Amino acid sequence: MYLRPAARAVTGTTRAVTGATRAVTGTTRAGKVLHQEAGFSRALAACQLARVSSPCLTPCRTLHITTQLCNVKETRQHTEEEVGAFTKLIEAMGFTGPLKYNKWKIKIAALRMYTCCVERINYDDFFDKCSLPDTLNSWFLVAQLHVWMCLVRMRQEGREGKYMCRYIVHSMWEDVEQRSKIMGIDASHRKEGMKAMTETFYAAIFGYDEGILSDDSVLAAALWRNLFNCECEDPNQLELMVGYVRKQMQYIDALDGDDMILTGEVNWRPLLEENAQSILKVASPTYNDTGL
């Protein structure tokens, strides 16, 4: 009879302890929430105080609102294509890294571009207007001028363009050697001639690069040394060739680079034109009396 009241007392005590524990837990949770809300309120107040006390602090949106246009020279441009360290390593060892287009297509396009430098040029006009003798050396001097213009254009197309330049030059030397064999030049003289042409070619490349980046007088001096072999006494001939190089460079610069890499097609402008300045300066429009 005395065990039941005792059990009931113990059970009641247990329930009371459980209720007290739940009350304490609820109080703790409520305290954490209140503490977090208080911390958030203090942080918000600090931010508002800092914004008021710092007049130089501007909202992020105003940083993107501007009416000033950027100059072309101030625009960041990628002059070199970013490649990995492994690609740089294998290219430094003489191998070719991965390209955007198939290598065989680029080689075929390089051969076609060199063919355009040889077969789409009227050499008789150059021999006549520039008083050049009709020899293999004169042919080579005119051909290397057009090859150089193609090299300048293709070097602007990144790694694919530079890879194409190698095979343009390779095709040129193979063609020169075959032409010398057909003309009956013996091996010893052919070897000496190829060595002299190689020196002439790279000296001309350096001079033409300097001339195209400078004024007409520097370009005329480069043409006088390399194309005319320092034997030109007519300033009209130099003026004609300077204008020819300038208009050709502007013409091929306007061509699409990807099309040139894949096709190698180049159509040259003639040496003599009725309106030679049309490629250098856009003609201003003319109007009649009615304004049309």
Side-chain angles (χ1 to χ4, degrees):
M1 292 180 64
Y2 292 98
L3 292 176
R4 291 182 178 178
R8 290 178 181 175
V10 172
T11 303
T13 303
T14 303
R15 292 177 179 176
V17 172
T18 303
T21 303
R22 293 177 178 175
V24 172
T25 302
T27 304
T28 304
R29 292 176 180 175
K32 289 183 179 179
V33 173
L34 294 176
H35 179 70
Q36 291 176 356
E37 292 180 354
F40 179 75
S41 300
R42 288 194 298 269
L44 182 60
C47 291
Q48 294 176 352
L49 179 61
R51 182 176 299 177
V52 173
S53 61
S54 300
C56 61
L57 185 63
T58 56
C60 296
R61 183 180 296 275
T62 58
L63 297 177
H64 301 280
I65 300 176
T66 178
T67 58
Q68 183 180 3
L69 297 178
C70 295
N71 192 3
V72 176
K73 296 182 179 179
E74 298 176 355
T75 305
R76 184 179 178 183
Q77 298 178 355
H78 297 281
T79 57
E80 293 290 339
E81 183 180 357
E82 297 180 357
V83 295
F86 179 74
T87 302
K88 294 181 180 179
L89 177 61
I90 62 176
E91 289 183 348
M93 296 173 61
F95 300 97
T96 303
L99 300 175
K100 183 168 59 173
Y101 301 109
N102 186 275
K103 295 180 180 180
W104 287 106
K105 291 183 178 180
I106 298 178
K107 291 180 181 180
I108 295 173
L111 178 59
R112 187 179 294 114
M113 182 170 290
Y114 172 73
T115 305
C116 294
C117 295
V118 176
E119 296 184 354
R120 296 186 180 180
I121 301 299
N122 191 346
Y123 288 89
D124 293 335
D125 289 343
F126 287 91
F127 296 161
D128 183 24
K129 299 300 181 182
C130 299
S131 301
L132 298 176
D134 190 1
T135 60
L136 177 63
N137 186 56
S138 298
W139 169 88
F140 175 73
L141 295 177
V142 176
Q144 77 172 359
L145 176 64
H146 294 82
V147 168
W148 163 76
M149 287 189 282
C150 289
L151 297 180
V152 172
R153 177 62 182 88
M154 299 316 299
R155 284 200 296 262
Q156 303 176 18
E157 299 302 323
R159 297 171 60 249
E160 290 78 13
K162 294 178 182 179
Y163 181 79
M164 188 173 180
C165 290
R166 292 166 49 186
Y167 284 93
I168 294 175
V169 177
H170 178 74
S171 302
M172 181 187 69
W173 293 127
E174 283 191 345
D175 186 28
V176 171
E177 186 175 5
Q178 291 296 325
R179 289 175 184 268
S180 61
K181 289 181 180 180
I182 294 174
M183 295 180 64
I185 303 176
D186 57 276
S188 60
H189 290 84
R190 185 168 62 248
K191 184 177 180 180
E192 294 177 0
M194 291 289 294
K195 182 179 179 181
M197 287 182 177
T198 303
E199 295 176 355
T200 302
F201 175 73
Y202 288 106
I205 290 293
F206 180 80
Y208 290 150
D209 285 342
E210 183 183 11
I212 200 64
L213 296 175
S214 305
D215 55 6
D216 291 342
S217 60
V218 180
L219 180 58
L223 291 168
W224 182 75
R225 293 192 309 268
N226 299 287
L227 181 64
F228 294 96
N229 285 324
C230 303
E231 296 179 356
C232 178
E233 298 179 358
D234 188 358
N236 294 324
Q237 294 178 350
L238 284 174
E239 183 182 3
L240 175 65
M241 291 307 303
V242 168
Y244 176 78
V245 172
R246 293 291 187 189
K247 72 178 181 181
Q248 292 290 7
M249 290 302 301
Q250 187 173 7
Y251 175 70
I252 63 177
D253 280 342
L255 300 178
D256 185 74
D258 291 334
D259 292 341
M260 297 180 71
I261 292 176
L262 295 176
T263 62
E265 292 290 334
V266 178
N267 294 316
W268 303 99
R269 296 178 68 90
L271 177 62
L272 299 177
E273 293 181 280
E274 295 181 358
N275 187 12
Q277 298 295 323
S278 61
I279 189 65
L280 300 178
K281 183 179 180 180
V282 178
S284 58
T286 56
Y287 301 96
N288 54 21
D289 295 336
T290 60
L292 299 177

